[in-house]
Amino acid sequence: MKTSMRYVDHGTGGSAAVLQIKEGPLPQPASGEVLIAVHYAGVNRPDVFQRSGSYPPPPGASAVLGLEVSGIIVAKADDVTAWNIGDQVCALTAGGGYAEYCTAPALHCLPVPEGLDLLQAAALPENYFTVWTNVFDRERPWKEQTLLIHGGSSGIGLTAIQLGKALGAKVITTVGNAAKAAFCTSIGADLAINYREQDFVQEALTFTGKRGVDVILDMVGGDYINKNIWTLAPHGLLVQIAFLQGSTTQIDALPIMLKRLTITGSTLRPRSIAEKAGIARSLLKTVWPMLASGSCKPVIHQVFPLAEAAQAHALMESSTHIGKIMLKVR
Ligand SMILES: NC(=O)c1ccc[n+]([C@@H]2O[C@H](COP(=O)([O-])OP(=O)(O)OC[C@H]3O[C@@H](n4cnc5c(N)ncnc54)[C@H](OP(=O)(O)O)[C@@H]3O)[C@@H](O)[C@H]2O)c1
């Protein structure tokens, strides 16, 4: 095996232009880990934040960008029994995905779902782990629920829309233009609201006959926080997974009490290996069959060679994409 590899370096951070290919040593699998020869890596908005300097990796994680990969296991620690050399996997990584080789805990690897290829498989981990644990891994009567998914055209948004529909919920989503709205309805959203032209609170209340929605997945924050609280039905749940417009605002908390609302949220990356392994097991049992049957599927917007990671980040920052932006590593 090679002793050095190509990876994408982001130096001390900055604009997308700082991303460049460098040569460095292969990572070595620690106890419980496998080494993957990476075929594809997914680009995620948190990578953009890490590159810009606002989202440092957790202690012990690779400083290299990249939270998800697919590829072939080429080495493993002695204590790994779940996988063999030569197995094709996709994996959630704590970092290091923008590289020819990447380590991952064996428990965070999943098989390539039946009928999907390595490109599609690399588009799954970050979005499916995040959406499943934050929204759907809960006891709720999904067939009777109405969901509001903000940022519907994002990798996260398209995952949430499809999982919601696969579980029988009604799904409303917000997007920034007509093409994104058309795409979201084409993959199953019952209503797509262009937030630049329409008031999502009014539209969602009209759609639900003034009852409000049961669950909101939000990555926007800012003035959406109050608006989300107004839009929720009694016993509603607001899940916050990012704050693209900031995490501070003045809120009127009275409706939280009057409607018995729950407000929560989480970030995936710093969660323990055991917690993420639990999410992986749950996905394998519940969601991997949905992917194999075609009731949900990753949406790939564009694939860039690893050496064009800067262009991939610039595209993500333009927010003109619909679905996943991917890197082809080999
Ligand atoms: N908590 C977690 O563990 C976790 C894990 C992964 C991702 N996330 C978060 O989930 C969100 C989606 O991630 P992703 O990788 O799927 O991203 P993405 O594909 O880049 O999508 C983000 C989309 O959000 C919309 N948006 C709405 N308001 C925005 C604003 N103020 N600034 C920028 N975009 C805005 C944009 O579409 P419009 O044209 O519709 O505005 C944009 O395309 C990100 O915020 C990310 O940080 C959280």
Side-chain angles (χ1 to χ4, degrees):
M1 205 192 315
K2 290 165 64 172
T3 52
S4 74
M5 65 169 191
R6 292 160 69 242
Y7 71 98
V8 176
D9 182 69
H10 64 286
T12 53
S15 72
V18 300
L19 297 177
Q20 54 176 290
I21 293 285
K22 286 217 169 139
E23 193 83 15
L26 262 66
Q28 299 300 315
S31 171
E33 290 186 343
V34 297
L35 179 68
I36 300 168
V38 178
H39 282 237
Y40 293 95
V43 175
N44 291 284
R45 190 64 70 150
D47 305 342
V48 171
F49 298 141
Q50 183 178 340
R51 187 212 73 218
S52 331
S54 61
Y55 190 55
S62 166
V64 176
L65 303 178
L67 301 172
E68 59 186 354
V69 298
S70 70
I72 313 238
I73 294 179
V74 290
K76 58 179 190 162
D78 292 343
D79 57 355
V80 171
T81 53
W83 298 103
N84 293 311
I85 308 294
D87 285 348
Q88 291 200 356
V89 291
C90 57
L92 182 77
T93 67
Y98 291 15
E100 287 183 311
Y101 293 88
C102 176
T103 54
L107 298 174
H108 299 174
C109 296
L110 285 157
V112 176
E114 210 181 304
L116 268 61
D117 58 23
L118 280 171
L119 169 62
Q120 293 169 308
L124 301 173
E126 180 69 9
N127 289 168
Y128 278 79
F129 275 70
T130 299
V131 171
W132 186 252
T133 186
N134 278 291
V135 182
F136 295 106
D137 196 10
R138 300 171 187 275
E139 291 296 323
R140 279 197 167 248
W142 292 108
K143 289 189 170 65
E144 296 155 27
Q145 302 277 283
T146 301
L147 317 183
L148 172 58
I149 310 295
H150 290 300
S153 65
S154 64
I156 289 278
L158 291 168
T159 302
I161 292 169
Q162 292 185 73
L163 282 174
K165 291 311 298 176
L167 293 173
K170 286 213 162 35
V171 178
I172 305 171
T173 192
T174 61
V175 290
N177 65 39
K180 291 181 175 186
F183 188 84
C184 289
T185 47
S186 78
I187 60 144
D190 297 283
L191 176 68
I193 303 164
N194 181 345
Y195 65 82
R196 294 185 205 278
E197 294 176 354
Q198 295 167 290
D199 176 355
F200 80 77
V201 180
Q202 287 314 317
E203 296 298 324
L205 289 175
T206 302
F207 182 84
T208 56
K210 296 211 164 48
R211 188 179 152 270
V213 302
D214 300 290
V215 178
I216 301 179
L217 177 64
D218 186 34
M219 70 262 303
V220 180
D223 70 355
Y224 275 37
I225 298 172
N226 266 316
K227 292 178 177 180
N228 287 333
I229 290 170
W230 298 335
T231 311
L232 281 168
H235 297 285
L237 168 72
L238 169 60
V239 184
Q240 207 70 57
I241 56 160
F243 293 99
L244 289 167
Q245 280 179 17
S247 58
T248 57
T249 191
Q250 193 167 355
I251 68 160
D252 175 5
L254 186 62
I256 300 173
M257 183 176 74
L258 295 180
K259 295 195 278 186
R260 302 170 296 286
L261 305 180
T262 302
I263 300 180
T264 185
S266 73
T267 53
L268 184 63
R269 199 177 187 187
R271 292 175 74 173
S272 71
I273 287 178
E275 278 181 281
K276 290 189 244 188
I279 303 169
R281 281 195 300 276
S282 184
L283 284 171
L284 184 62
K285 189 170 150 213
T286 319
V287 177
W288 257 228
M290 294 184 199
L291 289 159
S293 74
S295 57
C296 34
K297 60 171 190 253
V299 176
I300 312 279
H301 179 83
Q302 194 169 340
V303 185
F304 292 85
L306 186 66
E308 292 177 18
Q311 288 90 323
H313 272 221
L315 173 60
M316 179 159 273
E317 288 175 288
S318 77
S319 286
T320 53
H321 60 293
I322 297 178
K324 294 288 294 186
I325 300 168
M326 306 297 296
L327 298 175
K328 182 173 175 16
V329 179
R330 55 161 57 78

